[in-house]
Amino acid sequence: MAEIQLRDLWKYYDDVPAVRGINLDIEHNEFIALVGPSGCGKTTTLRMIAGLEDITAGDIVVGDRVINEVAPKDRDIAMVFQNYALYPHMSVFQNMSFGLKLRKTPKEEIDRRVNDAAEILNIGELLERRPQQLSGGQRQRVAMGRAIVRDPQVFLFDEPLSNLDAKLRVQMRTEIKKIHQRVKTTVVYVTHDQVEAMTLADRIVVMNEGVIEQVGSPEEMYDAPQTLFVAAFIGSPSMNFLPCQIEAMNGGLTIRLADDLSLPVPDGREERYKDHIGKEMLFGIRPEHITDKRPHTDPTHHDFTSDVVVLEPMGIDTMVFINIGETEITTRSRPRAVSQVGQAMDFTIDMAHMHLIDPETELVL
Ligand code: ATP
């Protein structure tokens, strides 16, 4: 069993804190994505799990064993890096089997493991080739094969796809997902790409300046972000944020935005929001929850009109940019339902998906 626990884990580089007291329980066979902007501490966290970086304070527990002092080679953890440096003078087979040979694994066992991994990765035909005779995606597969043959308890990936072009990245993302479905192991995957994190992970960990902002399933992170940072980081195009005031009206609550736009808050949120009546707040709504006007009977749907500023056709949908007061926001419509740039267009907003953020604490209420 390879549960991993990070307990109050700290890392200082001299007097610079890179990781500041994180706690995380990773389940056996779970796929965890560590995601966040450059410098947030994700690679440092991964390297501490691998044993490549000393821990300043805290514990790393794998199974029921504290591994703080265990040498990297004795951790039963395999790491796949962004720069997957294969040995150029060795064949694919030799690259994949090199680690096993060093461990003095019997030849039949090596053959079996390399052939099994090659089948999983669909590189059985390439075993005699040299790395320079492979495409970028194939090389990345060999790098993964090198890790798979070790049959480790835990896989660590550090931005493994960032050297590939956009199309290949999407293909390899699907491959990695398939491989995880076949080779069930615990995976910790570092990326700065929130789409990669959303599509691959069972749970996402969003880091910011050395701390964990939120942990949750992709759906939870998308639908119920707990902080302004997570709300803005997860989702592409990103959530819109508008300055607002919250007012009591007709026994309920209303969001007042610029341009005299007033929108009723869905029922059931009075307790959550009532202490903030009259204060300057932030209203958050994702682009897909403001669409071209549609017939509706749902009490959370409301219509308004605004002028089209920019259109961005995406094929299946068109992103329509509009201004509310000084703020430009992104909305999402069916291509045939949009107006021309400069013309008025009717929209429907679904307030069931609104978020209210306190700008002082940056917490979503
Ligand atoms: P990126 O996506 O850019 O790799 P990251 O989230 O993985 O970013 P880390 O590499 O973990 O971030 O770095 C966290 C912080 O620690 C940064 O401020 C970085 O400058 C600092 N840092 C990382 N490695 C070292 C080092 N060897 N010496 C000093 N400071 C370091």
Side-chain angles (χ1 to χ4, degrees), residues 13 18 37-44 159:
Y13 292 107
S38 186
C40 71
K42 23 185 217 307
T43 298
T44 300
E159 308 235 4

Side-chain angles (χ1 to χ4, degrees), residues 196-329:
E196 221 167 271
M198 289 285 285
T199 49
L200 281 170
D202 296 317
R203 282 191 306 156
I204 296 176
V205 178
V206 174
M207 292 186 69
N208 181 25
E209 297 185 354
V211 300
I212 292 179
E213 287 266 331
Q214 187 175 345
V215 182
S217 68
E219 296 77 17
E220 281 164 347
M221 304 303 269
Y222 193 80
D223 295 337
Q226 291 167 356
T227 64
L228 175 61
F229 183 85
V230 175
F233 192 79
I234 299 284
S236 174
S238 113
M239 189 186 286
N240 299 296
F241 299 102
L242 292 150
C244 77
Q245 282 204 334
I246 185 152
E247 297 176 347
M249 196 182 274
N250 307 328
L253 296 175
T254 296
I255 296 288
R256 180 168 295 283
L257 302 168
D259 296 346
D260 279 337
L261 188 57
S262 244
L263 297 164
V265 173
D267 289 343
R269 300 199 190 195
E270 289 78 7
E271 270 307 302
R272 256 154 81 190
Y273 294 173
K274 68 177 181 358
D275 292 344
H276 299 271
I277 291 172
K279 290 194 211 154
E280 294 298 324
M281 302 294 281
L282 272 182
F283 171 74
I285 190 94
R286 293 203 184 276
E288 64 268 33
H289 299 128
I290 305 178
T291 60
D292 50 281
K293 186 177 168 186
R294 316 221 169 145
H296 51 81
T297 51
D298 201 312
T300 64
H301 288 68
H302 302 278
D303 301 331
F304 68 95
T305 305
S306 189
D307 292 344
V308 174
V309 178
V310 175
L311 292 173
E312 271 185 7
M314 314 255 293
I316 186 157
D317 282 326
T318 294
M319 309 312 292
V320 183
F321 293 77
I322 58 175
N323 286 329
I324 295 184
E326 308 273 289
T327 316
E328 185 174 87
I329 65 165

Side-chain angles (χ1 to χ4, degrees), residues 49 79 212 340:
I49 299 173
M79 190 149 167
I212 292 179
Q340 305 274 319

Side-chain angles (χ1 to χ4, degrees), residues 43-301:
T43 298
T44 300
T45 303
L46 200 72
R47 290 174 60 82
M48 284 194 284
I49 299 173
L52 302 174
E53 210 70 71
D54 288 339
I55 296 169
T56 308
D59 282 321
I60 299 178
V61 184
V62 176
D64 48 17
R65 180 164 86 122
V66 175
I67 60 160
N68 297 11
E69 304 298 331
V70 176
K73 67 177 177 39
D74 299 327
R75 289 193 181 196
D76 203 6
I77 287 174
M79 190 149 167
V80 180
F81 296 91
Q82 176 179 344
N83 296 315
Y84 35 81
L86 303 173
Y87 298 109
H89 58 286
M90 289 186 191
S91 68
V92 167
F93 184 95
Q94 287 166 331
N95 265 286
M96 283 170 67
S97 58
F98 188 66
L100 295 177
K101 242 175 135 176
L102 284 184
R103 284 183 179 73
K104 308 219 179 331
T105 311
K107 185 176 174 311
E108 304 76 57
E109 178 71 10
I110 292 180
D111 286 352
R112 189 184 61 76
R113 288 203 198 183
V114 172
N115 285 320
D116 284 356
E119 196 205 313
I120 290 166
L121 293 159
N122 208 7
I123 50 173
E125 311 290 298
L126 309 176
L127 289 174
E128 296 312 315
R129 291 208 199 161
R130 297 276 164 95
Q132 67 268 30
Q133 297 169 304
L134 303 175
S135 70
Q138 288 167 337
R139 279 182 216 165
Q140 184 55 280
R141 264 172 236 232
V142 176
M144 269 189 270
R146 216 165 35 176
I148 289 176
V149 293
R150 287 185 45 201
D151 192 20
Q153 286 200 66
V154 180
F155 277 101
L156 305 178
F157 288 93
D158 190 6
E159 308 235 4
L161 307 185
S162 52
N163 282 350
L164 306 178
D165 68 43
K167 194 168 167 208
L168 197 52
R169 212 156 51 215
V170 173
Q171 274 174 12
M172 283 303 292
R173 199 170 74 196
T174 316
E175 290 299 318
I176 290 179
K177 193 153 190 171
K178 281 192 208 151
I179 292 165
H180 184 244
Q181 284 162 4
R182 284 191 67 179
V183 188
K184 282 279 176 208
T185 30
T186 310
V187 174
V188 186
Y189 187 104
V190 161
T191 176
H192 61 268
D193 179 347
Q194 56 89 26
V195 178
E196 221 167 271
M198 289 285 285
T199 49
L200 281 170
D202 296 317
R203 282 191 306 156
I204 296 176
V205 178
V206 174
M207 292 186 69
N208 181 25
E209 297 185 354
V211 300
I212 292 179
E213 287 266 331
Q214 187 175 345
V215 182
S217 68
E219 296 77 17
E220 281 164 347
M221 304 303 269
Y222 193 80
D223 295 337
Q226 291 167 356
T227 64
L228 175 61
F229 183 85
V230 175
F233 192 79
I234 299 284
S236 174
S238 113
M239 189 186 286
N240 299 296
F241 299 102
L242 292 150
C244 77
Q245 282 204 334
I246 185 152
E247 297 176 347
M249 196 182 274
N250 307 328
L253 296 175
T254 296
I255 296 288
R256 180 168 295 283
L257 302 168
D259 296 346
D260 279 337
L261 188 57
S262 244
L263 297 164
V265 173
D267 289 343
R269 300 199 190 195
E270 289 78 7
E271 270 307 302
R272 256 154 81 190
Y273 294 173
K274 68 177 181 358
D275 292 344
H276 299 271
I277 291 172
K279 290 194 211 154
E280 294 298 324
M281 302 294 281
L282 272 182
F283 171 74
I285 190 94
R286 293 203 184 276
E288 64 268 33
H289 299 128
I290 305 178
T291 60
D292 50 281
K293 186 177 168 186
R294 316 221 169 145
H296 51 81
T297 51
D298 201 312
T300 64
H301 288 68

